[in-house]
Amino acid sequence: MSYPEWQGTPNCRSVDSEEFFVPDGSATYKEIKMLKRICNNCEIKQQCLNYSLNYGVLGFWGGTTEHERKVLRRKLNITPEPLYLGYP
């Protein structure tokens, strides 16, 4: 499994990806608010969220934190698949 090819252009394409991978619980309110603003009107937000719910990704995806996705997975009864990026 590898990262998906999005059907559209993500709003985050011009943002340093490190901004989206802060350890869960350590991002400040301002950082989370900025990330949510970037994702809010993104044309691929739903694709990104679906991907992040179905695979064990870390960081901020589809407008959600890791904790928010855990809550959504429980609510939607989703067990994420592990994400393997070229490792056996």
Side-chain angles (χ1 to χ4, degrees):
M1 182 73 208
S2 61
Y3 286 116
E5 292 188 26
W6 305 117
Q7 300 300 310
T9 305
N11 285 354
C12 60
R13 71 188 175 282
S14 60
V15 180
D16 182 357
S17 63
E18 287 187 27
E19 298 288 331
F20 293 87
F21 293 96
V22 232
D24 204 20
S26 69
T28 66
Y29 174 75
K30 285 183 179 182
E31 291 169 324
I32 291 173
K33 190 174 178 178
M34 180 219 32
L35 294 172
K36 286 190 180 281
R37 194 174 325 118
I38 290 169
C39 294
N40 191 37
N41 294 315
C42 183
E43 67 180 88
I44 67 152
K45 180 180 177 182
Q46 192 60 51
Q47 292 174 65
C48 185
L49 177 59
N50 290 343
Y51 180 79
S52 66
L53 288 173
N54 289 302
Y55 295 96
V57 295
L58 302 175
F60 196 88
W61 289 74
T64 61
T65 64
E66 292 172 36
H67 176 72
E68 290 168 332
R69 287 193 304 278
K70 279 184 186 177
V71 171
L72 278 171
R73 284 184 191 114
R74 263 187 258 133
K75 183 178 179 179
L76 300 171
N77 198 26
I78 296 172
T79 302
E81 293 181 33
L83 184 66
Y84 299 105
L85 298 174
Y87 301 108

